[in-house]
Amino acid sequence: METHKKRILIIEDDRHIAEGIQLNLTLQGYEVAIAYDGVAGLNQWKAIGPDLVILDIMLPGIDGLSILQSIRLEDERLPILILSAKGDPDDRIKGLAFGVDDYLAKPFNLEELLLRVERLLKRGGWNQENGGLAHPSYDTYAFGDNRIDFNTHTARCRLGEISLTEQESKVLKLFIANRGKPLSREKLLQIGWGYSRKTTTRTVDNFIVRFRKYFEPDPRNPVYFKSLRSIGYLFDCDPD
């Protein structure tokens, strides 16, 4: 019986490194795709549904940590390995906080990379077969008089029970995951929508207007979804 070949996505802008990794992983029997910038990386992730992602941090378009956060809003199980020249402890801490599974600094030993990939794929397969999560998640979230159910994409709020779109649920998760932390419009667009830094849109502002209508006691005087002049927005609350 033919077994499914594991699919690996490499998001790396250095073509020499990306193609070298691709060649060696292909020789190990994996199907390997490459994306050379952040926007293409997110598009490829959605298109091919890889079993593992190898991710650089410094990327054109959208940086690797934003890609990591965007993926984690939708998939907590997918094994992700950060491969980066940035060996600063703060970068490692951020990667771990955002849900990365492993971290390998450049320059790296090829044999070590191959072993780490094999280990992550085995662990990822075990998590999926047993229904386990590689990272903690939540099904519901309550604040004030509001309660959000991310399983059903519904919410109880001052308007009664409402239905949320998948995109609304995703952006709400992003705000909740960063509760009390300022988020720029640029960062919200990169993580929440997968847009590059060059994109200009009022999409974020329109979503904030909608969230205030749903969840604020007085939408004109917000206490949860606050505007930060020249920065962006901040979600502030004491979760129930």
Side-chain angles (χ1 to χ4, degrees):
M1 181 176 176
E2 186 177 350
T3 58
H4 161 67
K5 274 190 175 184
K6 295 292 186 180
R7 293 185 297 270
I8 297 174
L9 172 62
I10 301 168
I11 308 177
E12 165 65 70
D13 63 328
D14 187 316
R15 289 179 178 267
H16 177 72
I17 292 176
E19 290 170 5
I21 296 173
Q22 181 186 44
L23 173 61
N24 282 277
L25 289 174
T26 301
L27 292 173
Q28 295 291 316
Y30 302 116
E31 290 184 6
V32 186
I34 298 175
Y36 295 107
D37 63 68
V39 176
L42 278 177
N43 289 336
Q44 287 246 45
W45 162 63
K46 293 175 182 178
I48 69 177
D51 298 291
L52 181 143
V53 172
I54 297 174
L55 177 64
D56 187 22
I57 288 182
M58 301 297 290
L59 291 165
I62 303 176
D63 65 88
L65 291 178
S66 294
I67 292 173
L68 170 62
Q69 292 177 82
S70 183
I71 292 174
R72 283 291 175 247
L73 291 174
E74 298 186 33
D75 190 339
E76 289 95 3
R77 293 183 175 88
L78 176 65
I80 299 177
L81 166 65
I82 282 183
L83 184 67
S84 176
K86 298 188 72 175
D88 189 282
D90 288 342
D91 294 311
R92 291 175 178 267
I93 291 169
K94 285 179 182 178
L96 292 169
F98 295 151
V100 74
D101 296 276
D102 205 350
Y103 200 116
L104 191 60
K106 301 174 185 173
F108 57 90
N109 179 282
L110 178 60
E111 189 64 27
E112 181 181 0
L113 172 65
L114 297 177
L115 288 172
R116 286 174 183 258
V117 165
E118 182 181 7
R119 180 181 62 84
L120 286 172
L121 285 169
K122 285 181 178 178
R123 193 175 75 186
W126 185 91
N127 281 331
Q128 292 177 11
E129 289 170 8
N130 292 276
L133 287 179
H135 306 280
S137 185
Y138 45 80
D139 298 322
T140 62
Y141 190 85
F143 61 99
D145 295 326
N146 307 295
R147 183 177 180 84
I148 303 169
D149 189 325
F150 290 104
N151 286 324
T152 60
H153 297 294
T154 59
R156 289 205 316 269
C157 58
R158 70 184 190 91
L159 301 180
E161 183 157 330
I162 61 171
S163 296
L164 301 168
T165 66
E166 288 191 14
Q167 188 61 41
E168 285 175 332
S169 292
K170 182 177 180 180
V171 177
L172 284 168
K173 280 186 178 182
L174 176 56
F175 273 113
I176 292 167
N178 292 275
R179 180 172 60 87
K181 299 177 183 178
L183 289 171
S184 66
R185 288 178 176 83
E186 176 185 87
K187 189 60 66 175
L188 285 163
L189 286 169
Q190 287 182 46
I191 301 171
W193 282 269
Y195 289 172
S196 72
R197 295 185 183 89
K198 296 179 181 178
T199 303
T200 57
T201 177
R202 288 190 58 82
T203 300
V204 172
D205 302 316
N206 292 335
F207 267 65
I208 294 296
V209 169
R210 207 179 305 169
F211 290 161
R212 288 173 175 169
K213 179 181 176 183
Y214 296 160
F215 303 118
E216 296 284 1
D218 179 2
R220 293 187 177 181
N221 297 287
V223 294
Y224 302 127
F225 295 91
K226 299 178 181 179
S227 297
L228 300 177
R229 186 180 297 275
S230 302
I231 299 176
Y233 295 102
L234 178 144
F235 175 66
D236 189 18
C237 75
D238 291 322
D240 296 340

